[in-house]
């Protein structure tokens, strides 16, 4: 290779947005010369590295935008503490592909214990690792944002922007009793994503108690129908994890 080519390469690779190749081609080029690689092998090695780093950068970007809490992963989830769910089932759901492509929902109920947020975040993190885009938010925070958007006559645009997320995680759906305006935007979101984009929710109250969270019975029934129609439902129903950790006489960190 001429010195002129070598001098031009950084500029050309930069213009083509191939920063990884720009960083490694000299080292790999020297090795290829030394070991007598053919041109196809050299080029394939360059492309492999560029693609791998591009995927890693994309995942890092998606993780940063997701709002997912750190450290709440399937690896740190103690499955023994949630005997009502099977690890194999959770791992299969975490692969995600089929039900997320079909806009299915995942609803996590947990009437007594703890672990909802951890499990939801663990699923979300696994989806991001598998190349999906996820937004994790407390339901009340998102409802406030949607109400502000409605006041600014920007609700359709805001809902459309949420479409870029394959999975929207609404943590603590029933945390506070909602007024009519809050219920309206929440149900508009549910209707908007129905059969197109996935929702994951965590909730303490079973459906039978949703009339205490939402003031409008007709709307509540309609929302439950849409949420449940293509849904996987997980019920944790465990003893509080925090209490359990104390039973064992260990600080929570040792187990988590
Ligand atoms: P919830 O959202 O149901 O109130 P969290 O998921 O926030 O409960 O759990 C409370 C704490 O206990 C968190 O720090 C969480 O990471 C931890 N925890 C709960 N369940 C488990 C579990 N099965 N394995 C590991 N840590 C858990
Ligand atoms: Mg929680």
């Amino acid at each position: 290779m001429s010195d002129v080519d070598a001098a031009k390469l950084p500029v050309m690779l930069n213009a083509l947005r191939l920063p990884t190749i720009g960083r490694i081609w000299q080292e790999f080029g020297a090795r290829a010369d030394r070991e007598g690689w053919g041109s196809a092998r050299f080029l394939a090695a360059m492309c492999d590295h560029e693609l791998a780093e591009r995927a890693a950068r994309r995942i890092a970007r998606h993780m940063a935008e997701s709002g997912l809490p750190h450290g709440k992963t399937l690896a740190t989830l103690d499955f023994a503490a949630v005997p009502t769910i099977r690890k194999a089932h959770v791992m299969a759901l975490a692969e995600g592909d089929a039900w997320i492509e079909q806009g299915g929902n995942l609803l996590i109920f947990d009437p007594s214990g703890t672990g909802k947020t951890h499990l939801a975040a663990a699923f979300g993190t696994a989806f991001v690792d598998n190349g999906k885009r996820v937004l994790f938010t407390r339901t009340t925070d998102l409802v406030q944002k949607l109400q502000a958007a409605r006041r600014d006559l920007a609700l359709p645009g805001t809902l459309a922007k949420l479409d870029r997320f394959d999975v929207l995680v609404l943590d603590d759906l029933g945390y506070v009793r909602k007024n009519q305006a809050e219920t309206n935007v929440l149900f508009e979101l549910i209707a908007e994503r129905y059969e197109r984009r996935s929702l994951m929710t965590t909730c303490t109250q079973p459906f039978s108690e949703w009339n205490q969270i939402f003031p409008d019975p007709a709307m509540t029934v309609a929302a439950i129908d849409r949420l449940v129609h293509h849904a996987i439902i997980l019920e944790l129903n465990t003893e509080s994890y925090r209490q359990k950790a104390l039973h064992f006489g260990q600080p929570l960190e040792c187990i988590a």
Side-chain angles (χ1 to χ4, degrees):
M1 179 181 316
S2 75
D3 289 347
V4 179
D5 288 335
K8 278 190 332 201
L9 265 173
V11 180
M12 293 192 291
L13 291 170
N14 200 29
L16 288 168
R17 295 195 169 76
L18 299 168
T20 306
I21 297 182
R23 204 181 65 245
I24 65 172
W25 73 267
Q26 279 171 309
E27 184 195 330
F28 272 73
R31 190 168 153 206
D33 289 345
R34 229 175 23 248
E35 297 178 10
W37 293 6
S39 53
R41 179 166 172 202
F42 173 69
L43 191 55
M46 293 297 88
C47 294
D48 267 351
H49 279 80
E50 188 66 54
L51 286 171
E53 285 206 12
R54 200 171 275 188
R57 280 196 302 272
R58 192 184 317 117
I59 287 173
R61 247 192 347 264
H62 291 175
M63 204 58 188
E65 76 180 359
S66 70
L68 282 159
H70 291 287
K72 308 292 178 195
T73 64
L74 291 172
T76 60
L77 185 82
D78 174 11
F79 281 90
V82 272
T84 49
I85 56 171
R86 281 187 307 114
K87 182 171 181 178
H89 186 208
V90 168
M91 294 320 232
L93 291 175
E95 293 293 317
D97 286 344
W99 67 268
I100 293 177
E101 297 307 328
Q102 290 157 15
N105 297 327
L106 179 56
L107 315 177
I108 299 172
F109 288 97
D110 183 24
S112 56
T114 62
K116 296 180 290 301
T117 299
H118 190 128
L119 183 62
F123 273 124
T125 305
F127 301 151
V128 171
D129 284 340
N130 291 338
K132 299 277 189 275
R133 292 180 74 175
V134 174
L135 181 67
F136 179 99
T137 167
R138 290 195 313 169
T139 309
T140 39
D141 293 346
L142 187 65
V143 163
Q144 298 313 315
K145 273 193 201 126
L146 294 179
Q147 279 193 286
R150 164 158 280 166
R151 278 194 294 276
D152 299 342
L153 306 177
L155 185 59
T158 304
L159 290 176
K161 271 196 204 136
L162 292 172
D163 257 13
R164 69 178 187 273
F165 296 107
D166 300 288
V167 181
L168 186 58
V169 188
L170 301 177
D171 193 28
D172 278 329
L173 189 73
Y175 185 56
V176 281
R177 185 180 160 81
K178 291 162 183 61
N179 63 32
Q180 189 66 44
E182 290 165 337
T183 305
N184 283 347
V185 287
L186 184 58
F187 289 5
E188 216 155 309
L189 172 72
I190 292 169
E192 173 77 16
R193 289 182 79 89
Y194 178 56
E195 294 195 314
R196 294 190 312 108
R197 293 304 226 179
S198 294
L199 280 171
M200 179 172 15
T201 63
T202 72
C203 193
T204 310
Q205 302 87 336
F207 289 129
S208 56
E209 290 172 21
W210 277 29
N211 56 357
Q212 290 159 31
I213 314 170
F214 303 108
D216 182 332
M219 221 182 227
T220 306
V221 170
I224 292 174
D225 280 349
R226 284 181 175 74
L227 277 176
V228 172
H229 189 186
H230 307 281
I232 299 138
I233 297 180
L234 294 179
E235 288 188 68
L236 302 191
N237 203 2
T238 57
E239 185 184 356
S240 160
Y241 188 78
R242 210 174 279 281
Q243 280 173 22
K244 205 167 212 174
L246 290 175
H247 282 322
F248 292 142
Q250 297 171 27
L252 196 59
E253 289 69 24
C254 292
I255 295 177

